[in-house]
């Protein structure tokens, strides 16, 4: 599992270089965004249950077929599995926000996920929509609380979207 700092050091160490001007600029940007990253993660932690519940409600409103008898989130067990997955995406996104690096998502969330979903018939498009709804909610909350809505909030959600769907966002 890597963060912004270890990723940078790793790439310089591979070629035996001292950290140069570019590296220092990158590090500076990461540390300067530190307080805002912590504030964003704290906001997510404090509202995680609400975010998951509301995002799922909106998803099922947008795509009601999911919870109809032929839908993948139909039955209590699958409905709960769906909400649990949304909670996974949110929690790991909060880790990635702090780390300033999406590597934790690759290692802990995305590895083999598409294959698992395909074999269980979990539809990717709606899952991605659920991830995007959570992102939109968090961006709106950040705006309400005057928290900086820098790109870093979107990054982990867009990364999961890209990797799951293999489409560009
Ligand atoms: C921390 C990393 C991690 C992830 C990401 C994860 C996902 C994950 N979701 C699963 C199932 C599932 N995932 C969903 C999700 C959905 N169905 C829908 O229609 C919606 C679009 C969507 C919710 C947004 C459902 C319904 C299942 C159960 C499918 C089944 O068993 O038939 C499964 C199969 C095993 C199980 O049911 O627990 C895994 C491994 N597990 C992990 O450990």
């Amino acid at each position: 599992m890597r963060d912004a700092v270890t990723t940078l050091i790793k790439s310089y160490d591979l070629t035996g270089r001292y950290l140069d001007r570019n590296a220092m600029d990158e590090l500076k940007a990461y540390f300067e965004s530190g307080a805002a990253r912590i504030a964003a993660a704290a906001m997510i932690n404090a509202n995680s249950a609400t975010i998951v519940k509301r995002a799922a409600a909106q998803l099922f409103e947008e795509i009601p077929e999911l919870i109809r008898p032929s839908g993948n989130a139909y039955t209590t067990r699958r409905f709960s599995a769906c909400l649990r997955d949304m909670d996974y995406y949110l929690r790991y996104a909060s880790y990635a926000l702090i780390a300033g690096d999406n590597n934790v998502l690759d290692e802990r969330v995305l590895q083999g996920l598409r294959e698992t979903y395909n074999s269980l018939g979990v539809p990717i498009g709606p899952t991605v929509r659920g991830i995007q709804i959570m992102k939109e909610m968090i961006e709106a909350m950040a705006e309400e609380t005057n928290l900086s809505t820098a790109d870093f909030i979107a990054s982990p959600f867009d990364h999961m979207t890209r990797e799951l769907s293999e489409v560009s966002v």
Side-chain angles (χ1 to χ4, degrees):
M1 208 196 295
R2 295 197 304 264
D3 57 41
V5 177
T6 51
T7 296
L8 187 79
I9 290 175
K10 191 175 173 215
S11 89
Y12 278 75
D13 185 37
L14 273 175
T15 47
R17 287 174 299 156
Y18 278 90
L19 299 172
D20 56 17
R21 181 63 190 269
N22 285 341
M24 294 308 173
D25 286 348
E26 260 186 64
L27 287 169
K28 224 172 131 212
Y30 174 61
F31 288 120
E32 279 172 0
S33 68
R37 288 177 188 278
I38 290 173
M43 184 189 73
I44 292 174
N45 302 348
N47 298 286
S48 59
T50 312
I51 295 168
V52 168
K53 217 173 86 189
R54 288 206 190 138
Q58 186 180 326
L59 177 66
F60 297 137
E61 205 178 292
E62 288 181 16
I63 316 175
E65 296 76 24
L66 293 172
I67 48 173
R68 295 207 180 118
S70 57
N72 186 262
Y74 180 73
T75 76
T76 319
R77 182 187 67 80
R78 291 207 299 257
F79 186 90
S80 320
C82 179
L83 263 66
R84 179 212 56 196
D85 284 9
M86 302 259 295
D87 187 58
Y88 283 151
Y89 298 131
L90 185 61
R91 179 162 58 88
Y92 281 94
S94 78
Y95 297 163
L97 280 178
I98 294 291
D101 193 296
N102 291 323
N103 173 262
V104 62
L105 303 173
D106 296 335
E107 284 189 4
R108 302 293 161 94
V109 180
L110 296 164
Q111 211 166 30
L113 184 61
R114 194 141 26 92
E115 292 73 16
T116 304
Y117 271 14
N118 285 338
S119 74
L120 289 170
V122 178
I124 305 266
T127 300
V128 159
R129 180 65 195 130
I131 291 171
Q132 289 294 315
I133 293 172
M134 291 199 288
K135 176 185 86 174
E136 289 160 13
M137 284 184 171
I138 292 158
E139 284 177 336
M141 285 168 84
E143 213 161 317
E144 268 168 36
T145 53
N146 286 326
L147 198 87
S148 123
T149 49
D151 327 334
F152 70 76
I153 290 188
S155 171
F157 298 95
D158 289 347
H159 182 78
M160 290 189 283
T161 295
R162 260 192 315 270
E163 293 298 312
L164 260 179
S165 53
E166 286 185 312
V167 298
S168 47
V169 218

